[in-house]
Amino acid sequence: MNDFSNIWLPHAERFYKVAFYLLESESDAEDAVQELYLKLWKIHDSLGDVKNPVAYGISVLKNICMDRIRKRYVRKAEPLEKAPPIEDAPPESRSESRDTLRYLIGEMEKLPQKQRDVLIMRAIEGLEYEEISRRTGLSQVHIRVLISQARKTLKSRL
């Protein structure tokens, strides 16, 4: 217990600053640092091999913060078949929706092949990242990057 307190606790302020920088919220940063210390405490017996506690702590903290950011912004993509039909909308809105959809499909066709394929699997087919990974042989992280790039490109074009 004493080693843990002497090695890890003095860096609390530095960890907090990193978390605050990433999360931009005092309460979220405090929670992330608390989660970091809980994780470190759970594995405190194996922390003797850590040569640079600050770097190790910041690395773990960064992952905690990234998970929190993802949870903040993750929206479950709904397959198109679950979307309300265009026919339920007023006539002028239907025309606009069809034009937008045609334009969007045209822009999707201009995307690089991998981006287009994973975006279709995720947004239209409603597949989970695991399933897309199995089908494509790409890592889930790579798939997330490709989808993010595709969405960013489409957003800028709309």
Side-chain angles (χ1 to χ4, degrees), residues 85-98:
I86 292 175
E87 286 72 30
D88 291 350
E92 58 277 352
S93 178
R94 273 187 270 175
S95 174
E96 241 178 69
S97 296
R98 283 192 182 109

Side-chain angles (χ1 to χ4, degrees), residues 8-67:
W8 297 97
L9 293 182
H11 307 295
E13 189 173 333
R14 184 178 290 172
F15 293 149
Y16 171 79
K17 286 179 182 179
V18 170
F20 183 78
Y21 175 78
L22 292 170
L23 298 171
E24 300 174 338
S25 162
E26 287 181 26
S27 62
D28 285 347
E30 290 169 358
D31 291 345
V33 172
Q34 184 174 2
E35 187 176 339
L36 167 68
Y37 279 112
L38 285 172
K39 283 185 177 202
L40 292 173
W41 179 250
K42 286 180 183 175
I43 60 168
H44 73 277
D45 293 334
S46 62
L47 291 175
D49 298 336
V50 175
K51 293 187 182 354
N52 187 341
V54 174
Y56 182 81
I58 288 174
S59 177
V60 173
L61 181 63
K62 181 187 68 106
N63 291 331
I64 291 168
C65 292
M66 291 300 125
D67 288 344

Side-chain angles (χ1 to χ4, degrees), residues 65-84:
C65 292
M66 291 300 125
D67 288 344
R68 287 174 173 270
I69 291 169
R70 271 189 219 104
K71 286 177 187 173
R72 226 188 263 168
Y73 294 105
V74 168
R75 291 180 309 180
K76 188 101 171 140
E78 292 265 337
L80 286 182
E81 60 267 9
K82 291 184 182 176

